[in-house]
Amino acid sequence: MVCYNFYIFNRQGTCLCYHEWQRPKSVKQGAGTPSDDQKMMFGLFFSLKTFAAAMDPRTENKAQLGGPLRIGGACTFHSYATNNYKLHFLESPSGIKIILNTSPEIGDLRDHLSTIYGSIYVEYVLKNPVYMPGKPFRCQYFIGALTKYLQDCRLT
Amino acid sequence: MPALYALYVINKSGGLIYYKEFVPIASLNLNDTLRLASIWHSLHAIAAQLSPAQGCTGIDLLLTETFDLHCFQTLTGTKFLLVVEPRTPDVAELLRTTIYELYTDYVLKNPHDESQHHGLREEQGPRAEGKDKGKTIVPRSVKLFTYQHRQ
């Protein structure tokens, strides 16, 4: 039960926060540079969201493939699993996207991601008077609270 | 409540070979399915590249609120996608054994199969211009069959 890394993006695609606990495959072997890695991750999610909206078997009010999607809503996809990692995703109504990569045996983390957004991100970052919205931030208390919360959850 | 919504078979270049919907999904025409298959092929590869751990082979399972998408990739690069109701059990097993076996038995073992032709044409290209000008292109499976018979 391992957490690999963690991203927060805003609706424009800026990576507001990136943190890794372990990364056996380095960024150089993957995307090349950290900023390419973040852009690729954002692009992957944007496309997966469009893909999931087009594949949705409910037929009422379906977005056309390639058309604009409502920000914050209509995102039905919440995670994907590969053979060696699982990715969990949450989009808030304001367009803030939280992405967490873990080992594949972990179950559904939607409630945990909501708690991370509501009790950790909002408390430590948004309510911080020094924080400028839309800019990347580095906050030790936020990372500390996040790590502690994940450690508490991993035991359950 | 139906459990299976649709089946897609994608070749190793990302093109859709076969599509079947078990439940009529309106507003998804053939063009859209072709585009979706190519989009999935690329996303599958990007997810493997972005993996934080070594040895990732691509997305096996996509979970959403209204459907689950299971993907099985064969050793040759062909992908089988099955769109199912959320939390349907045993789908990976179904893909790997039943659907893949039926595909190999009825499609690949067919000597008149056309789906592998573009790969063959590219290989035959330079040689065909030299010696075999004017000869028709024969499927690889038929060539193997006739070769064995000559022995």
Side-chain angles (χ1 to χ4, degrees):
Chain A
M1 303 272 262
V2 168
C3 287
Y4 292 117
N5 52 9
F6 174 80
Y7 301 75
I8 299 186
F9 292 98
N10 71 353
R11 62 161 86 169
Q12 273 81 33
T14 317
C15 183
L16 304 178
C17 176
Y18 169 71
H19 184 72
E20 67 184 36
W21 293 276
Q22 290 181 34
R23 190 160 188 163
K25 181 180 178 193
S26 71
V27 177
K28 286 207 185 62
Q29 293 171 307
T33 67
S35 68
D36 276 350
D37 179 69
Q38 286 156 16
K39 283 181 211 168
M40 226 178 191
M41 186 60 88
F42 183 78
L44 176 68
F45 283 99
F46 188 78
S47 312
L48 269 172
K49 204 170 71 158
T50 313
F51 180 83
M55 276 273 200
D56 191 343
R58 295 174 306 182
T59 53
E60 66 278 353
N61 297 334
K62 210 153 79 168
Q64 289 303 314
L65 195 58
L69 291 172
R70 287 182 285 137
I71 304 229
C75 175
T76 60
F77 124 79
H78 58 81
S79 82
Y80 73 71
T82 72
N83 60 325
N84 60 2
Y85 78 99
K86 189 168 186 184
L87 189 139
H88 309 265
F89 175 67
L90 177 76
E91 182 169 15
S92 78
S94 57
I96 301 289
K97 302 175 216 320
I98 300 185
I99 290 161
L100 179 65
N101 287 340
T102 64
S103 51
E105 64 272 1
I106 290 186
D108 190 4
L109 285 190
R110 274 181 282 180
D111 296 331
H112 294 294
L113 285 181
S114 297
T115 318
I116 290 174
Y117 177 75
S119 315
I120 306 180
Y121 174 72
V122 166
E123 295 296 317
Y124 284 89
V125 180
L126 289 183
K127 292 188 181 175
N128 189 332
V130 183
Y131 173 61
M132 286 196 294
K135 296 262 187 313
F137 64 87
R138 273 190 356 225
C139 177
Q140 297 285 63
Y141 289 125
F142 171 70
I143 301 294
L146 178 65
T147 311
K148 182 167 180 308
Y149 177 76
L150 287 171
Q151 277 167 352
D152 293 341
C153 295
R154 275 182 242 172
L155 299 170
T156 59
Chain B
M1 278 281 262
L4 300 183
Y5 291 126
L7 169 70
Y8 293 71
V9 182
I10 303 177
N11 69 10
K12 61 177 189 266
S13 339
L16 183 69
I17 308 177
Y18 181 73
Y19 167 67
K20 172 121 183 84
E21 60 181 23
F22 302 103
V23 172
I25 302 174
S27 73
L28 197 69
N29 57 26
L30 186 61
N31 269 340
D32 286 343
T33 59
L34 287 168
R35 286 158 78 189
L36 283 173
S38 311
I39 291 173
W40 177 260
H41 178 82
S42 317
L43 296 179
H44 189 91
I46 293 177
Q49 200 183 22
L50 281 177
S51 161
Q54 299 281 7
C56 181
T57 56
I59 305 180
D60 292 336
L61 170 62
L62 180 75
L63 298 170
T64 75
E65 284 162 29
T66 49
F67 67 93
D68 284 357
L69 185 134
H70 293 256
C71 176
F72 169 59
Q73 181 169 26
T74 68
L75 294 167
T76 53
T78 311
K79 291 188 241 319
F80 294 84
L81 303 190
L82 205 54
V83 182
V84 297
E85 215 182 349
R87 289 175 292 280
T88 308
D90 302 324
V91 183
E93 197 59 42
L94 173 74
L95 269 176
R96 220 175 46 240
T97 55
T98 315
I99 296 184
Y100 187 38
E101 280 177 15
L102 288 173
Y103 176 75
T104 51
D105 287 342
Y106 285 95
V107 181
L108 296 180
K109 292 182 187 175
N110 181 355
H112 302 293
D113 179 41
E114 309 261 316
S115 65
Q116 312 297 322
H117 270 185
H118 13 266
L120 188 67
R121 212 172 281 133
E122 281 157 19
E123 286 166 16
Q124 290 277 346
R127 271 184 279 139
E129 279 165 21
K131 298 185 213 166
D132 307 325
K133 252 188 213 177
K135 283 198 186 164
T136 54
I137 295 172
V138 180
R140 189 187 295 144
S141 47
V142 174
K143 284 182 115 170
L144 282 174
F145 178 72
T146 49
Y147 178 69
Q148 279 167 356
H149 260 243
R150 264 188 242 127
Q151 280 181 323

